[in-house]
Amino acid sequence: MLLDNLDDYKFWRDGKLANAPTQLDACIVEIEDPFKLSTAEKDKILSLCQQGNFALFNIKEQSNYADAIVSINTQFGLVDFDQHLFVKNQGLAYITQSNNKDQGEFIPYTDKDLGWHTDGYYNSIHQRIRAFSLFCVRPALTGGINEWIDPQMVYLLLREDNPDVVKALTHPEVMTIPEHKVDGKVRRATSTGPIFFIDEVSNVLSMRYTQRKKHIEFLDSEEIKQAVKHLDELLNASTDYHFVHLLRTGQGLLCNNILHKRNSFTDNKDSPRLFLRGRYFNRIN
Ligand SMILES: [Fe+2]
């Protein structure tokens, strides 16, 4: 297996390096009709997601963006959505600045910086997020730029640098997110698990991580402290595999839960930034 067997790892690594995208322009697919993707459009998105775990797409102006996005996602097998807080119709969350006190507690619904993370890192194994889509209905006046990197490439780069680092990050209890309580009631149970792991369902190398350190507990060892430091340093660096991009109206990202972040933004008060996000238990296929 990839994590333990050196030959398996080398085979995987060489294939990954040979195919990994480094140019964003080559990762954008124009979709003519979101309700019926052509074979070429579909194949291109699938092959991008196989090589780099993400694809960008553009669609034309729609009367109902939510319907269009749900249709695209469905055509890639993304149907089992995470019914978490604030999800509206058909599994999509409307990410916009919120004055709603409940929602405003969550950074995605503010105009603040959002650090590196995979989606649903606090979910249980049974509710693992394997893919998400992020679509721009309206960008902010300024800011709100996204950055992302394929977690498999992060694993590869770390392992090439020092195999002990990834070994520490695969410890089954390396990262714990304590339970979330509201008025004494448990809204989300404690989540303990590895940072890098082979997902039981898809059998592919996956990741759960957040760079925030508040309310996150790491296993108390010098080795793990160092490993997390290395990981954060790599994420904060800029490699050929980091992508920085401002999504514009009509543009979306489809991915197998890649690591991503967002910088702070300023809204046009009359037409605030609005993104549609779907989180799925399925992988793109
Ligand atoms: Fe996210």
Side-chain angles (χ1 to χ4, degrees), residues 3 10 22 26 34 37 44 48 76 88 126 155 176 190 244 252 262:
L3 298 185
K10 284 182 175 168
T22 53
L37 267 64
K44 176 81 179 148
L48 286 168
F76 289 102
K88 284 193 187 170
H126 310 291
Y155 177 91
T176 294
T190 303
V244 182
R262 176 197 81 194

Coordinates of all heavy atoms in Angstrom, one line a residue, residues 3 10 22 26 34 37 44 48 76 88 126 155 176 190 244 252 262:
L3 N 1.1 4.0 1.5 CA 1.7 4.7 2.7 C 2.8 3.8 3.3 O 3.8 4.4 3.8 CB 0.6 4.8 3.8 CG -0.6 5.8 3.5 CD1 -1.4 6.0 4.7 CD2 -0.1 7.1 3.0
K10 N 6.7 5.0 -4.7 CA 7.5 5.6 -5.8 C 6.8 5.5 -7.1 O 6.8 6.5 -7.9 CB 8.8 4.8 -5.9 CG 9.8 5.2 -4.8 CD 11.1 4.5 -5.0 CE 12.2 4.9 -4.0 NZ 13.3 4.0 -4.0
T22 N 0.2 22.5 -13.3 CA 0.9 23.6 -12.7 C 0.4 25.0 -13.3 O 0.7 26.0 -12.9 CB 2.4 23.6 -12.8 OG1 2.7 23.4 -14.2 CG2 3.0 22.4 -12.1
A26 N -4.9 25.8 -18.0 CA -5.1 24.4 -18.6 C -6.1 23.7 -17.8 O -6.5 22.5 -18.1 CB -3.8 23.6 -18.6
P34 N -25.0 23.6 -18.7 CA -24.8 22.9 -17.4 C -25.8 21.8 -17.2 O -25.5 20.9 -16.3 CB -25.0 24.0 -16.4 CG -25.7 25.1 -17.1 CD -25.4 25.0 -18.5
L37 N -24.0 18.1 -20.0 CA -22.5 18.3 -20.3 C -22.2 17.4 -21.5 O -22.7 16.3 -21.7 CB -21.7 17.8 -19.2 CG -21.2 18.9 -18.2 CD1 -22.4 19.5 -17.5 CD2 -20.2 18.4 -17.2
K44 N -12.9 16.0 -19.8 CA -11.9 16.9 -19.5 C -11.9 17.2 -17.9 O -10.8 17.2 -17.3 CB -12.1 18.2 -20.2 CG -11.1 19.3 -19.9 CD -9.8 19.2 -20.6 CE -8.9 20.3 -20.3 NZ -7.5 20.0 -20.2
L48 N -8.9 16.1 -15.3 CA -8.3 17.1 -14.4 C -8.4 16.7 -13.0 O -7.4 16.8 -12.2 CB -8.9 18.5 -14.6 CG -8.6 19.2 -15.9 CD1 -9.5 20.4 -16.1 CD2 -7.1 19.7 -15.9
F76 N -21.6 14.4 -12.0 CA -20.3 13.8 -11.6 C -20.5 12.9 -10.4 O -19.5 12.6 -9.6 CB -19.3 14.9 -11.3 CG -18.8 15.5 -12.6 CD1 -19.3 16.8 -12.9 CD2 -17.9 14.9 -13.4 CE1 -18.9 17.4 -14.1 CE2 -17.5 15.5 -14.6 CZ -18.0 16.7 -15.0
K88 N -29.2 25.2 2.3 CA -30.5 25.5 1.8 C -31.1 24.4 0.9 O -31.2 23.3 1.3 CB -30.5 26.9 1.1 CG -30.4 28.1 2.1 CD -30.7 29.3 1.4 CE -30.5 30.6 2.3 NZ -30.5 31.8 1.5
H126 N -17.7 8.6 9.3 CA -18.9 8.2 8.5 C -19.5 9.4 7.7 O -20.4 9.2 6.9 CB -20.0 7.7 9.5 CG -19.4 6.6 10.4 ND1 -19.0 5.4 9.9 CD2 -19.1 6.7 11.7 CE1 -18.5 4.7 10.9 NE2 -18.5 5.5 12.0
Y155 N 1.3 15.8 0.5 CA 1.8 14.6 1.1 C 3.2 14.3 0.4 O 4.2 14.0 1.0 CB 0.8 13.5 0.9 CG 1.3 12.1 1.4 CD1 1.1 11.7 2.7 CD2 2.1 11.3 0.5 CE1 1.6 10.5 3.1 CE2 2.5 10.1 1.0 CZ 2.3 9.7 2.3 OH 2.8 8.4 2.7
T176 N -7.3 16.3 17.0 CA -8.7 16.2 17.6 C -9.3 17.6 17.6 O -8.7 18.6 17.9 CB -8.5 15.8 19.1 OG1 -8.1 14.4 19.1 CG2 -9.9 15.8 19.8
T190 N -16.9 15.1 19.4 CA -15.5 15.2 19.2 C -15.0 14.4 18.0 O -15.6 13.3 17.7 CB -14.8 14.5 20.5 OG1 -15.3 15.2 21.6 CG2 -13.3 14.6 20.4
V244 N -3.5 30.3 -7.0 CA -4.1 31.5 -6.4 C -5.0 32.1 -7.5 O -4.6 32.4 -8.6 CB -3.1 32.6 -6.0 CG1 -3.7 33.8 -5.3 CG2 -2.0 31.9 -5.1
G252 N -16.7 28.3 -11.4 CA -16.8 27.4 -10.3 C -15.6 26.5 -10.2 O -14.9 26.2 -11.2
R262 N -9.1 31.4 1.8 CA -9.7 32.6 1.2 C -9.2 33.8 1.9 O -9.0 33.7 3.2 CB -11.2 32.5 1.4 CG -12.0 33.7 0.9 CD -13.4 33.7 1.4 NE -13.4 34.3 2.8 CZ -14.4 34.2 3.6 NH1 -15.5 33.5 3.2 NH2 -14.4 34.7 4.8

